Amino acid sequence: MITFLQTYGTQLLMKTWQHIYISAIALALGIIVAVPLGILLTRVKKIANVVMAIASMLQTIPAMALLALMIPFFGIGAIPAIVALFIYSLLPILRNTYLGMEDVEPSLIDAAKGMGLTGWQSIIKVEVPMAAPVIMSGIRLSATYVIAWAALASYIGAGGLGDFIFNGLNLYRTDLILGGSIPVIILALIVDWLLGKLEAVVTPRTSQA
Amino acid sequence: MEHLNKTYPGGKVAVEDFNLEIEKGEFVCFIGTSGSGKTTTMRMINRMLSQTSGTIKLEGQDIGQMDPVKLRRKIGYVIQNIGLMPHMTIRDNITMVPKLLKWPQDKMNERAKEMIKLVELPEDYLDRYPSELSGGQQQRIGVVRALAANQDLVLMDEPFGALDPITREALQDLVKDLQERLGKTFVFVTHDMDEALKLSTRIVVMDGGKIMQVDTPDGILRHPANEFVENLIGKDRLIQARPSITTVGQVMLKSPIATTPGKSLTAALRLMHDKRVDSLLVTDEAGILKGMIGIEDVDYSFNSATSVDDIMKRDIFYVQSNSLIRDTVERILKRGFKNIPVVDDQHRLVGIVTRATLVDIVYDALWGDEEEDEESDNIHHGEDTTKAKANDQTGAEGGDQQ
Ligand SMILES: Nc1ncnc2c1ncn2[C@@H]1O[C@H](COP(=O)(O)OP(=O)(O)OP(=O)(O)O)[C@@H](O)[C@H]1O
Ligand SMILES: [Mg+2]
């Protein structure tokens, strides 16, 4: 263990950083696209099913296949990996956003509209805050997925902790495999914990204490 | 509202040729069976729904031409589920519309305090969240939220349906008070006839999307337009109606025989003789009730006193013309008075209630139900007979009136 860290310490830090970097960008893009899209879908319910179906379909493409599919479009490296992970992150966020928004007490929306909030104000001031916990749990789920799938990204040369794992697999080196996978697990746990905290923060207060 | 129609997609006609003019300061209740189109009609007023045809005007302006968002900010809106925002403090809930209207912060704070005072809740409740209030308290906030931006018109859709009777009554008093004191106009949807009778200045009875009857509570009770309205009111209420909602002013004799304190006893006696009464009410020049003299007083003091002022009884029993018969009948009967002067709110003498009048009221209340078909006739008949007895202010027994 000590010797492993002595030999690969700096490399480990660098790969971890790459891993976080790829995952974070993919997740951020996912949030930026899926949350507004999910909100939009609650306004145009007719196409909601179609969009959800497409997102679910994308989710079922095997990770390796999706990554390989990126190569013709984006070559190799971090960018195709980010795009692929971004696609994966969409569905959980999209679905939770949509369901969360749909779940907001209709009488609240009615009251908001009746008081003269514009559609936009109703979304920002009432619906999103009410749906925030559900949206957040979608984001948490996506984050865990993305971090796990990011390990595969090294397959198309994106770097990250996957490099250790793939090297280990090639060289039959258990220490490298573990040295790559354990940090991935820890990373996933930490991020989930942090996002859990964030979830508590964005969950609107409904009582003083 | 003129020729208002609403057909839902799918062909359901929810409101048909609805015509109604509502005056400022009125309290109008929509009542009717479930599905009669009350909610639909109400929601067209603040353009939560748009009508299929017809126009709605607010202060002469067609609301169809107004920006719906601006319109809704001018109209208070209270729904059955209360609709307080659970993630906002009471303060923020109350000031939602003022905030939309971009009031300055201190003015909003001021208003929040004012509003919470209005519903008699402590000021520190402003920092609470809705979940920390009881249902009744929440709906109080729901009511003042609809007034916080000085809305003159408030729409309420069965706002108190889910509350227990005591809380409901307190809230009814609150809104009635707001209407009477602040001159707000209310359009109020309810299922509860007692509620409608208590609150309304006018009741709109609806069935199948059509107006069955529009009238004052009194008018509805006295002259239900058709069987549907009668059934909605219920037999019990019709029977009780007369003594329970009739005011003293409606049954009193309107031209009591009165004199002024300065008159001589001779003049008073002559008046009694001419009008064939055994007592006179005494008012000053402005018509303010001052007292009463009876024939026995005149008789007893004719030699020692000279003016009415000298012998009149000042401390007399009287009733307000707008008080309810229900509340006064018993009092009158118990005390055994024969004639009771009726005054308006400025203490001016406006009429008199005689025992003969009371007999009619009690008679109608007890026996009215056996003559159901003649119910409305009876009521008129009753008035006619009392008028015929106008000269009978005295009663034959004489003497024992005070
Ligand atoms: N969105 C809708 N689509 C189609 N039909 C509707 C819709 N809303 C109401 N209706 C129908 O229109 C009619 C009037 O409904 P409305 O809600 O105005 O009745 P209401 O008098 O308020 O009844 P309640 O006392 O039950 O609240 C009913 O027959 C109802 O089924
Ligand atoms: Mg309704």
Side-chain angles (χ1 to χ4, degrees):
Chain A
M1 175 81 175
I2 304 287
T3 44
F4 179 85
L5 282 183
Q6 274 167 351
T7 339
Y8 297 104
T10 35
Q11 214 186 340
L12 187 67
L13 278 181
M14 213 187 72
K15 299 286 180 199
T16 307
W17 169 244
Q18 275 180 342
H19 203 103
I20 294 174
Y21 171 83
I22 295 169
S23 310
I25 291 183
L27 186 67
L29 288 174
I31 295 171
I32 290 169
V33 173
V35 172
L37 187 61
I39 294 171
L40 191 69
L41 288 184
T42 59
R43 308 287 131 163
V44 277
K45 288 183 184 142
K46 278 179 202 144
I47 63 162
N49 287 333
V50 182
V51 176
M52 292 296 214
I54 294 172
S56 313
M57 205 185 66
L58 289 175
Q59 193 84 2
T60 58
I61 304 174
M64 281 302 198
L66 188 63
L67 284 169
L69 215 63
M70 290 299 127
I71 297 173
F73 298 102
F74 302 101
I76 55 166
I79 292 180
I82 289 172
V83 174
L85 293 174
F86 153 72
I87 290 172
Y88 268 116
S89 73
L90 286 177
L91 183 69
I93 302 177
L94 189 64
R95 193 180 43 210
N96 276 40
T97 304
Y98 183 76
L99 294 179
M101 296 287 287
E102 282 287 274
D103 236 32
V104 176
E105 184 75 45
S107 65
L108 287 186
I109 301 175
D110 189 67
K113 186 176 173 193
M115 275 188 289
L117 274 76
T118 60
W120 182 240
Q121 286 167 327
S122 171
I123 291 173
I124 298 296
K125 293 187 168 188
V126 179
E127 297 169 58
V128 168
M130 297 313 292
V134 184
I135 298 175
M136 266 315 289
S137 62
I139 292 174
R140 268 171 84 175
L141 193 61
S142 276
T144 327
Y145 277 151
V146 165
I147 291 169
W149 294 131
L152 295 178
S154 100
Y155 177 68
I156 55 168
L161 290 163
D163 285 354
F164 281 110
I165 302 173
F166 280 108
N167 272 339
L169 286 172
N170 285 335
L171 305 171
Y172 298 106
R173 288 263 307 270
T174 327
D175 60 337
L176 283 183
I177 296 174
L178 288 179
S181 49
I182 291 173
V184 171
I185 294 167
I186 294 174
L187 198 59
L189 289 175
I190 291 176
V191 168
D192 190 52
W193 180 77
L194 282 175
L195 290 176
K197 285 274 167 210
L198 188 61
E199 187 177 322
V201 171
V202 300
T203 301
R205 277 172 57 152
T206 55
S207 69
Q208 278 176 321
Chain B
M1 288 178 241
E2 289 163 12
H3 304 295
L4 205 54
N5 287 285
K6 172 71 187 179
T7 309
Y8 280 109
K12 170 80 202 169
V13 180
V15 177
E16 209 180 328
D17 200 25
F18 188 101
N19 292 287
L20 181 67
E21 182 137 352
I22 300 176
E23 297 294 327
K24 220 167 158 37
E26 272 201 276
F27 201 118
V28 175
C29 281
F30 292 175
I31 192 166
T33 44
S34 194
S36 53
K38 308 179 292 291
T39 301
T40 305
T41 307
M42 201 194 79
R43 284 166 65 89
M44 287 191 278
I45 299 175
N46 63 350
R47 292 188 61 185
M48 295 296 278
L49 293 171
S50 54
Q51 63 267 34
T52 312
S53 65
T55 47
I56 301 178
K57 289 183 188 166
L58 184 65
E59 291 166 343
Q61 215 189 336
D62 183 354
I63 63 162
Q65 310 297 322
M66 300 185 205
D67 174 3
V69 168
K70 285 203 186 114
L71 173 73
R72 289 180 203 131
R73 290 176 187 175
K74 284 206 292 196
I75 301 178
Y77 185 56
V78 183
I79 54 178
Q80 175 164 7
N81 315 41
I82 306 176
L84 292 186
M85 301 300 157
H87 62 297
M88 295 185 190
T89 59
I90 298 304
R91 183 194 316 274
D92 292 342
N93 266 292
I94 292 178
T95 55
M96 262 181 103
V97 181
K99 194 164 186 181
L100 292 172
L101 296 172
K102 305 208 163 54
W103 287 21
Q105 189 61 46
D106 47 347
K107 191 174 167 198
M108 284 198 290
N109 276 335
E110 197 61 29
R111 178 47 60 100
K113 283 183 196 162
E114 230 171 274
M115 288 291 128
I116 200 128
K117 208 174 290 161
L118 198 60
V119 288
E120 290 160 359
L121 290 174
E123 227 172 73
D124 58 326
Y125 274 42
L126 287 174
D127 296 314
R128 294 198 179 190
Y129 286 87
S131 68
E132 296 167 317
L133 267 59
S134 75
Q137 292 170 336
Q138 287 182 29
Q139 193 53 296
R140 277 166 198 267
I141 302 298
V143 171
V144 288
R145 182 178 64 175
L147 299 169
N150 294 322
Q151 292 95 331
D152 289 325
L153 170 61
V154 182
L155 309 178
M156 298 188 155
D157 194 353
E158 300 185 42
F160 311 142
L163 302 173
D164 67 88
I166 294 172
T167 314
R168 187 181 320 149
E169 198 147 316
L171 278 157
Q172 287 168 350
D173 293 341
L174 169 71
V175 291
K176 189 64 189 164
D177 187 50
L178 290 171
Q179 178 239 338
E180 285 178 344
R181 217 153 41 91
L182 306 180
K184 306 281 181 190
T185 311
F186 282 83
V187 175
F188 190 105
V189 170
T190 179
H191 264 127
D192 179 351
M193 187 45 105
D194 287 318
E195 187 166 67
L197 290 171
K198 173 175 173 180
L199 296 175
S200 310
T201 56
R202 276 193 305 159
I203 297 178
V204 177
V205 183
M206 295 185 69
D207 184 36
K210 293 200 199 102
I211 294 187
M212 293 287 113
Q213 186 171 10
V214 183
D215 208 335
T216 57
D218 195 28
I220 294 243
L221 285 170
R222 281 169 183 250
H223 314 291
N226 54 33
E227 207 170 323
F228 176 81
V229 180
E230 252 173 62
N231 287 334
L232 198 68
I233 301 168
K235 278 198 179 112
D236 291 350
R237 286 199 198 80
L238 280 176
I239 293 164
Q240 287 166 11
R242 198 159 145 71
S244 68
I245 56 114
T246 321
T247 62
V248 172
Q250 286 165 326
V251 300
M252 69 189 183
L253 303 178
K254 289 210 175 60
S255 34
I257 311 204
T259 184
T260 49
K263 287 270 161 56
S264 68
L265 288 188
T266 325
L269 191 59
R270 191 171 305 130
L271 186 60
M272 286 186 189
H273 177 77
D274 288 350
K275 301 283 181 186
R276 309 218 57 80
V277 295
D278 73 346
S279 63
L280 292 174
L281 296 168
V282 184
T283 65
D284 66 10
E285 308 298 337
I288 310 277
L289 178 67
K290 290 294 175 190
M292 186 182 234
I293 57 171
I295 182 68
E296 72 282 4
D297 304 314
V298 179
D299 183 34
Y300 184 76
S301 323
F302 199 72
N303 296 321
S304 55
T306 53
S307 74
V308 169
D309 196 27
D310 296 335
I311 60 161
M312 73 177 182
K313 295 194 194 87
R314 286 155 211 278
D315 180 26
I316 58 168
F317 182 78
Y318 58 87
V319 293
Q320 291 274 340
S321 68
N322 57 4
S323 57
L324 293 180
I325 283 290
R326 181 183 51 196
D327 303 335
T328 38
V329 147
E330 225 181 54
R331 241 170 346 131
I332 296 173
L333 290 179
K334 246 189 217 148
R335 301 216 184 174
F337 298 142
K338 198 153 56 68
N339 303 321
I340 300 98
V342 181
V343 297
D344 66 10
D345 44 11
Q346 271 128 44
H347 213 76
R348 279 192 304 250
L349 178 70
V350 290
I352 188 161
V353 173
T354 66
R355 284 185 81 84
T357 324
L358 296 181
V359 168
D360 288 342
I361 295 165
V362 175
Y363 179 87
D364 282 350
L366 296 180
W367 305 110
D369 55 327
E370 288 187 1
E371 297 160 72
E372 248 176 282
D373 297 342
E374 300 161 36
E375 184 81 33
S376 56
D377 296 337
N378 243 346
I379 289 165
H380 284 301
H381 182 65
E383 272 165 5
D384 292 341
T385 25
T386 39
K387 262 182 212 122
K389 288 180 204 152
N391 284 332
D392 197 25
Q393 225 185 76
T394 65
E397 324 89 285
D400 62 337
Q401 52 155 317
Q402 274 275 331

